Amino acid sequence: MAVVPVQACQSHPPGLWDGLLELTKSAQERNSDPPLWAVQLSSSLKSAGVSMPSPELAHLLVSHICWANNVAIMWKFLEKAVSCRIAPPMLVLALLSCRVIPNRRLYPSAYRLYMELLKRHIFSFASEINGSNHQKIMKSIDDVLHLSQIFGLQACEPGTLVVEFIFSIVWQFLDASLDDEGLLELIPEKKSKWPTRSQDMDIDGQDSFNEKRTDHQEGKCKTNTVMAIELIGEILQNKITSKILYLARRNMFSHWGSFIQRFRVLAANSTALRSSKHISPDALLQLTSDTRIVLTRECKTYLQKHFHAVVASGSLTSSAGQCHGVSWSALWLPIDMFLEDAMDGSQVVATSAVETLTGLVKALQAVNGTSWHNTFLGLWIAALRLVQRERDPSEGPVPRLDTCLCMLLSITPLAIVNIIEEEESILIDEAGVSPPNQRKEKQMSVNRRKDLISSLQLLGDYEALLTVPQSHTLTANQAAAKSMMFVSGLTSGSGYLDCMSMNDLPINCSGNLRHLIVEACIARNLLDTSAYFWPGYVNGRSNQLPRSVPGPMSGWSSLMKGSLLTPPMINVLVSTPASSLAEIEKIYEIAVNGLDDEKLSAAAILCGASLVRGWNIQEHTVFFITKLLSPPVPADYSGTDSHLIGYAPFLNVLLVGISNVDCIQIYSLHGLVPQLAGALMPICEVFGSCAPKVSWTLTSGEEISSHLVFSNAFNLLLRLWKFNHPPLEHMMGDVPPVGSILTPEYLLLVRNCQLSTSGNTAMDSFKYRRPSRFSSPSSTEPIIMDSFPKLKLWYRQHQACIASTLSGLVHGTPVHQVVDAILHMMFRKINRSGQPLTPTASGSSNSSSSGHEDASLRLKLPAWDILEAIPFVLDAALTACAHGRVSPRELATGLKDIADFLPASMATIASYFSAEVTRGIWKPAFMNGTDWPSPAANLSMVEQQIKKILAETGVDVPSLAAVGSSPATLPLPLAAFVSLTITYKLDRTTERLLTVVGPALNSLAAGCPWPCMPIIASLWAQKVKRWADYIIFSASRTVFHHKSEAVVQLLKRCFAVTLGLNSSPVCSNGVGALLGHGFGSHYSGGMSPVAPGILYLRVHRDVRDVMFMTEVVLSLLMQSVRDIASCGLPKEKLEKLKKTKYGMRYGQVSLAAAMARVKLAASLSASIVWVSGGSSLVQSLIKETLPSWFISVHESEQEGAETGEMAAMLGGYALAYFAILCGTFAWGVDLMSPESKRGPKVLGAHLEFLANALDGKISLGCDWCTWRAYVPAFVTLLVGCTPAWIPEVDVEVLKRMSKGLRQWNEEELAIALLGLGGIKTMGAAAELIIETG
């Protein structure tokens, strides 16, 4: 008896379904023509008011067939009802799947007929989701197959249920095929989640075909199994169903993983699959492979279809691209700019360069569409270019060669570790749930590691870039000798290489930077020693090697064998970097557990060559040093003072050891600045609170006090944030440069976040990380500024001094007494009227009769107390100088006495003078050579050098002729400050102080009117000649500080030289022209012009209104596109060329070459914006600048309609690349960085703007061709390069965007956008797939 749902009986006339069943039985008995039966049935349903297709009829017909009427005519009736849409096809198929598949072995003919019916109707669903009764039909399907229960989704949209339906049908066929061949036992679950066998199979049962369990019937079953597998293949290949299954793959991945496991079992073990003539195991696996991108493959060819040009890496390697000056290396220009910008020592950063570089490389790989081989090669080449630019560095208080080599040999390998681990950790996670026979296949699919190896092999062809800087030749030669010895079968410990000199090496054993790169990769398990056997890697012969070690082994090898730390060995270990983690751990153990003298030696060793040149273990060295700066409280400690006091000599060795400029920058690159700040603050708090009553004598005989330890820690701490930036930043009404201030609070916040998340991710424990035995931090407890009351009080005073003039000094208070004592120490030799210098003490009794000894005695105070008084001292001294009571020379000498007494006071001196200069209340000082030092001797030379440096920028340098005719002037506080600084001679002791003072003086002078900085440069160049190049270069940068027009001109020049615009074909362009090849007066011909890109990277942090940079860059990008469209030629020349017989060929620029240059222009633009302001500026660009640009009307600057249309279209593509590149640089392609949280909101706002414009809610002012090119190109790049962004966008925005794209006949893009939107848009995507066919 056929079963009809109860609700059907309640909603239709009584007896309707019984009558229809009798009609069907009568037609069955008469063997009626199916069309005639269908007409009669349809007429009856219409008369009864039943809407069609009818779910109730589907239930009635399927129940009638299964199994009492399983005859051919009934299957024909059923097929006719489905094809005429009297019964809903999806529901019929769902009902049959629950009845036929479990009974397929009992009724093989029915199974075959069911599959035939499925073939005809599973590929068309339009009537199901758009027709009448669709909600009722969908609910019936869900009830029959229990889809919501099985997949855990509430099918609120028809499209969602369609996805579940197709997925379930294929899965049922897959499990049935596995069950037919006895393979279900090979899957982890051992059973199917679908009914594959009838619960009460009657083997002797009889269907209408009188089928028995005969050999013939078994043959039918086997044939059906093959047919079912082939049907699965057809469904996976069909245009509609393959896309729908792709939606399941992206959004139902937990189920998809189990589904794919079954496919692999089938492909590996099925005899039926191997006997198929239509599909093979490999083909079946390929159809379900993760590499088969179904939704986005059409999108990736979007630009090709419209431009007939290759938009990925091919366009930049084509001959056309080369002819127009765009080389392959230009793809990686953003890496070059990031690496060079990271060398700027004017500001350290709180985030790791490893993580930033990882995200940048992944972004460029995605947007450029390059292989990982080319990506890694481009990364190595960019890092090598950085080193070559600094191979002959000029001296100065800025990071140089050691920092560049850290970037090449430590940061870059660690970024590659991240990239390779990302792939391999996913494979390992998958392998953990895969059958054992599949794990080997997964391991063989590790592509990124293979691409790294091939890139390093090819790197040997770039000999010019591999040249080793002279100072590191021995290190490279030792690396080459190590590989030669290994290939020759000789074993060598590090001791062999420690004692090897240049004379010991074979003649042909010359190493290069590739040898150092390979060693860095081997140390981090990226490579193994098989790299030594690469063709051409070893360039010597084994018979050239000495067969014995020359002399006794010393250094690291001896240490590891238990030798004691003797003075000769200590010298070797300080000057020779450790080569392995075990060696640096050994030294760390000595620093923790050794005797007092051994601890001091171990600290010096850690801060020696192992820190600056131990690239293979550098990340561990900086961590160990940071950890040692926070020693634990000894178990037997019972004192009332801090336990840190007892560690004073040890801490001082560490503080002095890491005070080098390169060391601080190395800390910055490794992202440990926040943790270093957290370690320095307790030291400053404790030693700054101690009176210098106790001193310590080092083994060298040097005596140190608490003041010295405090000063070393305090000056180091101040260098970790931009304390010395001009206080104009803090004035109202001005926009500070984005990200310019790293406050102590911010550093502690980042430090706390870093430690709270350390070890919580799987990546932290991954085997390639080489975790140390001592990798746990000293403390993971959060630290706040309130933990350091003295430091917090000083910081508040520092901020108050910047914000307003001094006040509050009361006579007779302890602070006033300290001020008096300091003034007496400063001016003890002055015997004037006896008037006190402190302003608040005027009119009081004269206390100046106290002697110097009494003053020194009174200054045996904690450093914090002295620092509190310093601003008042400076105010009094400067006032006395202004009124003639103190001469400039006496002022400079007195200031030096303060700095010598407490070196930490130099930072307060710098801050105070900076603040006073900006107030503009002091009279100018005449630098006449009598009262104040004169710059006249060097001023003209400085002017000429500045003009040489800026020669390539087109920027005018203001003349210094007027200065030369009359005495130069400086603001009095600035004159006092510069006079103080030039009293110091440059040596190892004072260099630490000058690295604090130098940047502060630069920042202060840069904010003063022209020509203050050239005057200071002239004075410094006389005194510190070794720093002359640095000083004059700093002076040249101030030209851009005073004129925004100069910055715009500099950027114009950056675009021109990079793109080769308005230059001859033989002119240099690209990365080399943008960033140059180094500079300095040591080059032949004297000071060379500085490349515009280098100038901008050293200037941008001081641009006052950084927000205007987005508008400038956008304007320059569009102008560059117009120049590209017109071949970069002036109007007259272009018109003349078009009249020649070759005019059309040249005038119509090769689209491939044009696109290559457009991408390069967009890449440069994105790099400038990102480097200038980080994610904040990118956010401003995408949310504000771009929408404003599209709304605004722009004057037409194109020459001719043809060129104008092409320029407009190219402009749209340029803007799309520009926006996507900016977003990927700021937030990454996978939204994994902490800063990426705001990315989806920004993207959502931009997509909403696009949707509003597509809906006609916003009027656009830009060229229609630009807009028409931009929107599809932006969505194409979004879908193809950053699919992880899309699920974070609001569903309604995605749907509106999809609707707008369809109005432009961009159905594939619309589908791809919805398809990547996650489970919330899966239904809409499925409906659109079905609708578009």
Side-chain angles (χ1 to χ4, degrees), residues 133 144 151 544 640 654 745 773 776 789 807 1064 1144 1177 1231 1325:
N133 286 344
V144 169
F151 294 116
Q544 297 174 330
T640 56
L654 293 172
E745 294 94 337
R773 292 182 290 131
S776 59
S807 61
S1064 65
M1144 290 299 292
L1177 198 57
L1231 299 181

PDB file of all heavy atoms in Angstrom, residues 133 144 151 544 640 654 745 773 776 789 807 1064 1144 1177 1231 1325:
ATOM      1  N   ASN A 133       5.896  25.560  -4.278  1.00  0.00           N
ATOM      2  CA  ASN A 133       6.089  24.481  -3.289  1.00  0.00           C
ATOM      3  C   ASN A 133       7.553  24.250  -2.915  1.00  0.00           C
ATOM      4  O   ASN A 133       7.866  23.240  -2.293  1.00  0.00           O
ATOM      5  CB  ASN A 133       5.527  23.141  -3.808  1.00  0.00           C
ATOM      6  CG  ASN A 133       4.017  23.106  -3.778  1.00  0.00           C
ATOM      7  OD1 ASN A 133       3.404  23.927  -3.111  1.00  0.00           O
ATOM      8  ND2 ASN A 133       3.438  22.162  -4.498  1.00  0.00           N
ATOM      9  N   VAL A 144      13.408  13.353   4.730  1.00  0.00           N
ATOM     10  CA  VAL A 144      13.693  12.019   4.196  1.00  0.00           C
ATOM     11  C   VAL A 144      15.146  11.621   4.441  1.00  0.00           C
ATOM     12  O   VAL A 144      15.446  10.505   4.884  1.00  0.00           O
ATOM     13  CB  VAL A 144      13.362  11.965   2.688  1.00  0.00           C
ATOM     14  CG1 VAL A 144      13.890  10.682   2.053  1.00  0.00           C
ATOM     15  CG2 VAL A 144      11.853  12.072   2.470  1.00  0.00           C
ATOM     16  N   PHE A 151      24.458  16.782   8.949  1.00  0.00           N
ATOM     17  CA  PHE A 151      25.483  17.788   8.680  1.00  0.00           C
ATOM     18  C   PHE A 151      25.489  18.941   9.683  1.00  0.00           C
ATOM     19  O   PHE A 151      26.392  19.781   9.657  1.00  0.00           O
ATOM     20  CB  PHE A 151      25.307  18.355   7.263  1.00  0.00           C
ATOM     21  CG  PHE A 151      25.564  17.356   6.181  1.00  0.00           C
ATOM     22  CD1 PHE A 151      24.559  16.961   5.316  1.00  0.00           C
ATOM     23  CD2 PHE A 151      26.818  16.782   6.034  1.00  0.00           C
ATOM     24  CE1 PHE A 151      24.793  16.030   4.309  1.00  0.00           C
ATOM     25  CE2 PHE A 151      27.065  15.856   5.037  1.00  0.00           C
ATOM     26  CZ  PHE A 151      26.053  15.468   4.174  1.00  0.00           C
ATOM     27  N   GLN A 544      93.946  19.550  -1.365  1.00  0.00           N
ATOM     28  CA  GLN A 544      94.454  20.850  -0.934  1.00  0.00           C
ATOM     29  C   GLN A 544      94.287  21.061   0.565  1.00  0.00           C
ATOM     30  O   GLN A 544      94.788  22.026   1.120  1.00  0.00           O
ATOM     31  CB  GLN A 544      93.705  21.985  -1.662  1.00  0.00           C
ATOM     32  CG  GLN A 544      93.916  21.972  -3.170  1.00  0.00           C
ATOM     33  CD  GLN A 544      93.054  23.016  -3.846  1.00  0.00           C
ATOM     34  OE1 GLN A 544      91.983  23.340  -3.378  1.00  0.00           O
ATOM     35  NE2 GLN A 544      93.540  23.533  -4.957  1.00  0.00           N
ATOM     36  N   THR A 640      67.468  42.998  52.690  1.00  0.00           N
ATOM     37  CA  THR A 640      66.314  43.895  52.543  1.00  0.00           C
ATOM     38  C   THR A 640      66.322  44.619  51.201  1.00  0.00           C
ATOM     39  O   THR A 640      65.273  45.014  50.699  1.00  0.00           O
ATOM     40  CB  THR A 640      66.306  44.937  53.680  1.00  0.00           C
ATOM     41  OG1 THR A 640      67.560  45.643  53.668  1.00  0.00           O
ATOM     42  CG2 THR A 640      66.119  44.255  55.034  1.00  0.00           C
ATOM     43  N   LEU A 654      76.576  42.850  30.691  1.00  0.00           N
ATOM     44  CA  LEU A 654      75.526  42.624  29.696  1.00  0.00           C
ATOM     45  C   LEU A 654      75.043  43.936  29.091  1.00  0.00           C
ATOM     46  O   LEU A 654      74.853  44.046  27.875  1.00  0.00           O
ATOM     47  CB  LEU A 654      74.347  41.880  30.337  1.00  0.00           C
ATOM     48  CG  LEU A 654      74.597  40.443  30.782  1.00  0.00           C
ATOM     49  CD1 LEU A 654      73.402  39.925  31.574  1.00  0.00           C
ATOM     50  CD2 LEU A 654      74.867  39.535  29.588  1.00  0.00           C
ATOM     51  N   GLU A 745      54.661  52.369  28.254  1.00  0.00           N
ATOM     52  CA  GLU A 745      53.439  51.595  28.507  1.00  0.00           C
ATOM     53  C   GLU A 745      53.145  50.640  27.360  1.00  0.00           C
ATOM     54  O   GLU A 745      52.739  49.483  27.575  1.00  0.00           O
ATOM     55  CB  GLU A 745      52.244  52.533  28.708  1.00  0.00           C
ATOM     56  CG  GLU A 745      52.330  53.388  29.961  1.00  0.00           C
ATOM     57  CD  GLU A 745      52.925  54.746  29.687  1.00  0.00           C
ATOM     58  OE1 GLU A 745      53.658  54.878  28.665  1.00  0.00           O
ATOM     59  OE2 GLU A 745      52.686  55.676  30.473  1.00  0.00           O
ATOM     60  N   ARG A 773      66.702  24.084  25.653  1.00  0.00           N
ATOM     61  CA  ARG A 773      66.385  23.571  26.985  1.00  0.00           C
ATOM     62  C   ARG A 773      66.047  24.707  27.936  1.00  0.00           C
ATOM     63  O   ARG A 773      65.437  24.506  28.982  1.00  0.00           O
ATOM     64  CB  ARG A 773      67.576  22.783  27.538  1.00  0.00           C
ATOM     65  CG  ARG A 773      67.858  21.487  26.798  1.00  0.00           C
ATOM     66  CD  ARG A 773      69.023  20.745  27.429  1.00  0.00           C
ATOM     67  NE  ARG A 773      70.293  21.431  27.204  1.00  0.00           N
ATOM     68  CZ  ARG A 773      71.173  21.700  28.152  1.00  0.00           C
ATOM     69  NH1 ARG A 773      70.918  21.364  29.403  1.00  0.00           N
ATOM     70  NH2 ARG A 773      72.309  22.309  27.861  1.00  0.00           N
ATOM     71  N   SER A 776      62.171  28.714  28.209  1.00  0.00           N
ATOM     72  CA  SER A 776      61.094  29.330  28.976  1.00  0.00           C
ATOM     73  C   SER A 776      61.541  30.686  29.493  1.00  0.00           C
ATOM     74  O   SER A 776      62.675  30.846  29.945  1.00  0.00           O
ATOM     75  CB  SER A 776      60.706  28.431  30.155  1.00  0.00           C
ATOM     76  OG  SER A 776      61.818  28.228  30.992  1.00  0.00           O
ATOM     77  N   PRO A 789      57.583  52.878  40.456  1.00  0.00           N
ATOM     78  CA  PRO A 789      57.125  54.240  40.800  1.00  0.00           C
ATOM     79  C   PRO A 789      58.140  55.330  40.467  1.00  0.00           C
ATOM     80  O   PRO A 789      57.759  56.418  40.025  1.00  0.00           O
ATOM     81  CB  PRO A 789      56.868  54.148  42.314  1.00  0.00           C
ATOM     82  CG  PRO A 789      57.595  52.921  42.780  1.00  0.00           C
ATOM     83  CD  PRO A 789      57.596  51.984  41.622  1.00  0.00           C
ATOM     84  N   SER A 807      58.070  74.750  36.398  1.00  0.00           N
ATOM     85  CA  SER A 807      57.528  75.486  37.535  1.00  0.00           C
ATOM     86  C   SER A 807      57.527  74.544  38.728  1.00  0.00           C
ATOM     87  O   SER A 807      57.655  73.330  38.573  1.00  0.00           O
ATOM     88  CB  SER A 807      56.102  75.985  37.244  1.00  0.00           C
ATOM     89  OG  SER A 807      55.240  74.882  37.003  1.00  0.00           O
ATOM     90  N   SER A1064      65.951  57.435 -21.145  1.00  0.00           N
ATOM     91  CA  SER A1064      66.404  56.713 -22.327  1.00  0.00           C
ATOM     92  C   SER A1064      66.367  55.223 -22.063  1.00  0.00           C
ATOM     93  O   SER A1064      66.411  54.781 -20.926  1.00  0.00           O
ATOM     94  CB  SER A1064      67.831  57.144 -22.686  1.00  0.00           C
ATOM     95  OG  SER A1064      68.722  56.754 -21.652  1.00  0.00           O
ATOM     96  N   MET A1144      51.855  52.855 -35.288  1.00  0.00           N
ATOM     97  CA  MET A1144      50.814  52.039 -34.674  1.00  0.00           C
ATOM     98  C   MET A1144      51.412  50.966 -33.783  1.00  0.00           C
ATOM     99  O   MET A1144      50.914  50.672 -32.712  1.00  0.00           O
ATOM    100  CB  MET A1144      49.940  51.400 -35.758  1.00  0.00           C
ATOM    101  CG  MET A1144      49.062  52.390 -36.487  1.00  0.00           C
ATOM    102  SD  MET A1144      47.909  53.224 -35.379  1.00  0.00           S
ATOM    103  CE  MET A1144      46.857  51.843 -34.960  1.00  0.00           C
ATOM    104  N   LEU A1177      47.575  53.710   8.049  1.00  0.00           N
ATOM    105  CA  LEU A1177      47.518  54.467   6.802  1.00  0.00           C
ATOM    106  C   LEU A1177      46.820  53.664   5.706  1.00  0.00           C
ATOM    107  O   LEU A1177      46.098  54.226   4.876  1.00  0.00           O
ATOM    108  CB  LEU A1177      48.928  54.852   6.359  1.00  0.00           C
ATOM    109  CG  LEU A1177      49.025  55.993   5.337  1.00  0.00           C
ATOM    110  CD1 LEU A1177      48.354  57.249   5.864  1.00  0.00           C
ATOM    111  CD2 LEU A1177      50.471  56.279   4.987  1.00  0.00           C
ATOM    112  N   LEU A1231      45.043  36.553   7.420  1.00  0.00           N
ATOM    113  CA  LEU A1231      44.517  37.199   8.622  1.00  0.00           C
ATOM    114  C   LEU A1231      45.039  36.550   9.907  1.00  0.00           C
ATOM    115  O   LEU A1231      44.316  36.399  10.889  1.00  0.00           O
ATOM    116  CB  LEU A1231      42.973  37.152   8.617  1.00  0.00           C
ATOM    117  CG  LEU A1231      42.266  37.866   7.458  1.00  0.00           C
ATOM    118  CD1 LEU A1231      40.764  37.742   7.604  1.00  0.00           C
ATOM    119  CD2 LEU A1231      42.662  39.330   7.393  1.00  0.00           C
ATOM    120  N   ALA A1325      25.243  31.115  -2.921  1.00  0.00           N
ATOM    121  CA  ALA A1325      26.190  30.731  -3.972  1.00  0.00           C
ATOM    122  C   ALA A1325      25.652  29.549  -4.772  1.00  0.00           C
ATOM    123  O   ALA A1325      25.741  29.527  -6.008  1.00  0.00           O
ATOM    124  CB  ALA A1325      27.543  30.380  -3.353  1.00  0.00           C
TER     125      ALA A1325
END
